[in-house]
Amino acid sequence: MAAPISWSRLAYSAVLYALSPLITWRIWREQVPTYSRIQRLGMRLGTLPPAPRLWLHCASVGEVRAARPLIEGLLTRYPRHSLLLTTMTATGAEQAQALIHDQSESDQRRLVHRFLPLDYPGAARRFIGRVKPAMALLFETELWPNLLKACRRQGVPVAVVNGRLSPRAYQRYRRWQPLMANALANISWLAAKSCEDAERFKALGCRAEVISVVGSLKFEIPSQDEALREGEYLHRQWGKRPVWVAGSTRDGEESLLLQAHAQLRRHHPNALLVLAPRHPQRFDEVACLCRDEGWSFSRRSEKQPVTEQTQVYLADTLGELAVLYAAGSVAYVGGSLVPLGGQNMLEPAALGRPVLSGPSIENFSDVAEPLLAAGALALVNSPDALAEALTGYFDHPFEAQQKGQAGLAVINAQQGALKRTLDGLGKFVPPSLAACRA
């Protein structure tokens, strides 16, 4: 018997088509020169590695970084499979290429990146029909109704890994309850980060029997020895001075951080701020802000040196955030003094650095809670409070070091989600399976 028509999905697709001029303009900006824009329609995917293939989708930079242990785990556990990694954003594509470059020569041949097609019904069908994945893995909250339906029609099992649904996202999806319930009906397995995430997915219509709570893959952080070595080398070049790093900063936040830096320098006149905006399209804007406010600054992209007179070091490059966090003594994680939900504070914690954040951390509450409980993370709600916290850490370096070590202990205690995730996926695609689905 034919499946019933999903009127909610039809309405969703109609809205996508109606908004296609706006979507096309937005995607036109999210472009990497070596990729065809037609990939956004599920076409011109180029040569794919041999089948059988696994397909993993990550939205952008942060998700690709968080998925790295899973990607490397899949390559190890499935040596006869190739892995297609897709992203939605250009910065995500660049991060994926950097990750591929870091793999062994043999794994580089098995791991490729492409852009995810837009969720038009035809584009979704073309993409799944061309890739023919043995399994589809969607990272965190990447629930695209037409892609999920295309997987179901072509017999592709779908897993949501590191499944996350923040309170804000849950409230947003609740407005589209019939559509989300229809989409979630196509999920074969959902590996939730926490019990709270699992309950939210169930409330949206996901079947309880397909949900497992496995923990957060974000705690599965590889060795940071190389980043620490490079960071310490940078710090030595800058001289003996207090250095704090503000990573993944967002629009409207940099001016607040510069206010805090001005107050910090009243107590520590030689303090250096390493400022790393999250989005590359804002690098020039932030440089103009520093110039307009009269700061003496250097740009990393232009290889400008950090001298004794440098007050701000603008880290306007990609893929170096771990090294930059390692070069500082204290880290501030952006997107949090402005109401945007925060960014991943585990990156600096894994380097043994005490972490500061604004109060907006709802997107990362699951990783923030254990860090807060251990004293490795402190929240500040204003430039004044940030300057006070920074001054305290630089006045008491041993205390700062202790808080950094507490963060490392939290990460070590929380690991294990990777094995549970890989074991769960093995129920759908056993590691020994080598049948080709060309």
Side-chain angles (χ1 to χ4, degrees):
M1 188 173 74
I5 295 174
S6 169
W7 295 106
S8 61
R9 192 167 56 81
L10 287 175
Y12 160 78
S13 299
V15 170
L16 281 184
Y17 284 126
L19 294 176
S20 57
L22 178 62
I23 294 171
T24 301
W25 174 82
R26 179 68 178 86
I27 291 301
W28 190 266
R29 298 173 59 207
E30 289 289 342
Q31 181 59 22
V32 177
T34 53
Y35 291 78
S36 169
R37 286 189 171 89
I38 305 300
Q39 284 188 18
R40 302 295 192 169
L41 298 178
M43 302 164 66
R44 295 191 185 176
L45 298 181
T47 302
L48 297 176
R53 304 181 192 97
L54 302 172
W55 164 43
L56 171 64
H57 175 62
C58 299
S60 191
V61 175
E63 291 78 13
V64 174
R65 287 176 180 159
R68 179 169 185 152
L70 176 62
I71 291 168
E72 294 175 346
L74 289 169
L75 291 171
T76 299
R77 188 167 287 209
Y78 293 93
R80 302 181 69 175
H81 287 66
S82 59
L83 178 59
L84 172 64
L85 173 62
T86 58
T87 61
M88 184 60 74
T89 68
T91 53
E94 291 166 348
Q95 185 67 39
Q97 290 294 347
L99 187 153
I100 292 170
H101 179 74
D102 288 345
Q103 306 308 306
S104 68
E105 186 174 339
S106 61
D107 283 347
Q108 286 182 23
R109 292 193 290 268
R110 298 168 53 216
L111 175 60
V112 298
H113 171 268
R114 299 290 185 267
F115 277 115
L116 185 75
L118 298 170
D119 201 32
Y120 300 121
R125 287 194 300 270
R126 279 192 296 271
F127 178 80
I128 300 301
R130 173 70 176 88
V131 174
K132 293 183 174 66
M135 189 167 193
L137 290 76
L138 308 178
F139 201 80
E140 293 195 345
T141 324
E142 289 296 291
L143 305 174
W144 296 101
N146 286 320
L147 275 163
L148 288 169
K149 187 63 176 179
C151 287
R152 180 73 171 266
R153 283 174 172 163
Q154 298 188 43
V156 177
V158 179
V160 176
V161 293
N162 212 49
R164 173 179 71 89
L165 202 55
S166 68
R168 178 187 292 179
Y170 170 67
Q171 293 300 327
R172 186 170 63 249
Y173 283 135
R174 276 188 62 191
R175 302 172 192 164
W176 308 94
Q177 177 84 31
L179 176 64
M180 297 315 302
N182 178 267
L184 288 165
N186 300 305
I187 301 297
S188 306
W189 185 51
L190 195 150
K193 290 167 61 176
S194 69
C195 293
E196 293 78 13
D197 290 300
E199 290 301 318
R200 293 183 194 117
F201 278 111
K202 280 194 280 188
L204 283 181
C206 190
R207 293 167 291 142
E209 62 268 24
V210 305
I211 301 177
S212 303
V213 178
V214 302
S216 175
L217 287 170
K218 289 178 179 173
F219 288 100
E220 306 290 330
I221 298 175
S223 169
Q224 298 295 295
D225 290 347
E226 183 177 353
L228 285 167
R229 283 194 297 270
E230 293 184 25
E232 289 166 3
Y233 174 75
L234 269 182
H235 199 153
R236 285 196 301 271
Q237 286 186 314
W238 299 339
K240 294 183 178 180
R241 57 191 301 186
V243 179
W244 67 290
V245 182
S248 298
T249 61
R250 305 290 294 274
D251 189 15
E253 194 168 29
E254 289 89 4
S255 61
L256 302 176
L257 300 176
L258 291 171
Q259 290 177 40
H261 191 49
Q263 294 184 47
L264 170 66
R265 284 177 60 86
R266 294 172 191 163
H267 299 275
H268 294 276
N270 63 336
L272 174 68
L273 164 60
V274 179
L275 187 57
R278 179 168 175 78
H279 296 122
Q281 59 266 34
R282 297 190 57 250
F283 288 163
D284 289 341
E285 173 190 332
V286 177
C288 289
L289 174 67
C290 293
R291 184 178 300 111
D292 292 346
E293 293 196 3
W295 292 96
S296 172
F297 71 100
S298 301
R299 298 187 68 160
R300 184 163 177 80
S301 65
E302 298 178 8
K303 296 181 170 49
Q304 295 173 346
V306 173
T307 68
E308 291 182 1
Q309 288 72 42
T310 305
Q311 301 166 326
V312 177
Y313 189 37
L314 180 56
D316 51 349
T317 56
L318 294 174
E320 296 188 296
L321 191 55
V323 171
L324 295 167
Y325 275 140
S329 301
V330 182
Y332 168 85
V333 179
S336 56
L337 268 178
V338 287
L340 294 173
Q343 297 296 330
N344 187 3
M345 58 281 294
L346 290 178
E347 291 181 275
L351 294 158
R353 302 302 186 255
V355 184
L356 296 167
S357 170
S360 180
I361 57 171
E362 53 270 25
N363 290 345
F364 292 86
S365 58
D366 58 330
V367 297
E369 288 172 5
L371 291 175
L372 285 167
L377 169 67
L379 303 184
V380 294
N381 58 13
S382 68
D384 291 348
L386 176 57
E388 182 179 354
L390 289 166
T391 301
Y393 283 141
F394 290 129
D395 286 345
H396 303 95
F398 180 71
E399 178 185 342
Q401 186 179 26
Q402 284 184 313
K403 291 183 180 295
Q405 292 303 308
L408 273 176
V410 167
I411 291 172
N412 292 334
Q414 294 281 340
Q415 290 182 345
L418 177 60
K419 183 180 185 303
R420 291 187 286 270
T421 299
L422 290 171
D423 289 347
L425 295 174
K427 298 173 185 176
F428 300 94
V429 183
S432 59
L433 182 65
C436 180
R437 296 186 54 176

